[in-house]
Amino acid sequence: MSNKPPLNWGREKDRMRGQRATTPEVREERLRTMAGLRGSAAIALSAWRGRSAQRYVVGVHDVGSDIALEAAPAVVISVRRDEAGLASPIDVASIETAADAVAWVRLAQASGASELHIHRLADAASERAAVVADLAPAQAA
């Protein structure tokens, strides 16, 4: 016999339903990578979880990196890290051409971004637009 009272399933379902009503926030989920394969440098990878709960793997690059200028076509996220190392997305965009990439990197640098996270796994422009919509920071009201 147990001293626990029986669970009231109706009340428990109501409580859980209320928790589901909130929209999940966009967040970074750091990935562990190999220190190096046979002496090669480790690849800086991370992932972002969108509001839809979809996960997007990204390469992490310094905001002044030449790699960021060669990213097109891709989804790019300008990121600022706080003292604790937590990432906050500043802006998310789909870049289609090298000219778009150059202009966007300049805007990211001006906005105080320290890193660029580049998602290259969305092939079509419509897929990249969906990723941008899922990851874009909420606008202040």
Side-chain angles (χ1 to χ4, degrees):
M1 281 206 157
S2 174
N3 290 335
K4 292 182 182 179
L7 189 60
N8 183 327
W9 285 106
R11 191 176 319 142
E12 188 64 20
K13 286 194 306 188
D14 289 342
R15 184 187 67 78
M16 289 170 34
R17 191 174 296 119
Q19 289 176 347
R20 251 192 338 249
T22 60
T23 304
E25 291 298 315
V26 173
R27 67 186 185 279
E28 181 188 31
E29 298 175 344
R30 289 190 172 179
L31 300 176
R32 288 196 273 176
T33 59
M34 301 287 291
L37 299 173
R38 297 185 185 170
S40 64
I43 300 169
L45 295 176
S46 191
W48 285 88
R49 184 78 60 178
R51 287 181 193 83
S52 67
Q54 179 72 32
R55 186 173 85 161
Y56 306 99
V57 176
V58 296
V60 179
H61 305 281
D62 183 57
V63 76
S65 168
D66 289 338
I67 294 172
L69 298 175
E70 300 167 1
V75 174
V76 290
I77 307 165
S78 59
V79 175
R80 180 182 304 127
R81 288 205 184 269
D82 63 12
E83 300 82 34
L86 296 175
S88 300
I90 298 171
D91 196 13
V92 181
S94 174
I95 54 173
E96 303 300 325
T97 65
D100 291 344
V102 170
W104 199 85
V105 167
R106 286 187 185 139
L107 286 173
Q109 289 171 330
S111 66
S114 57
E115 298 174 353
L116 294 177
H117 293 195
I118 302 173
H119 176 72
R120 292 185 173 100
L121 301 177
D123 293 329
S126 59
E127 292 174 12
R128 290 188 291 277
V131 173
V132 169
D134 196 20
L135 294 176
Q139 298 298 321

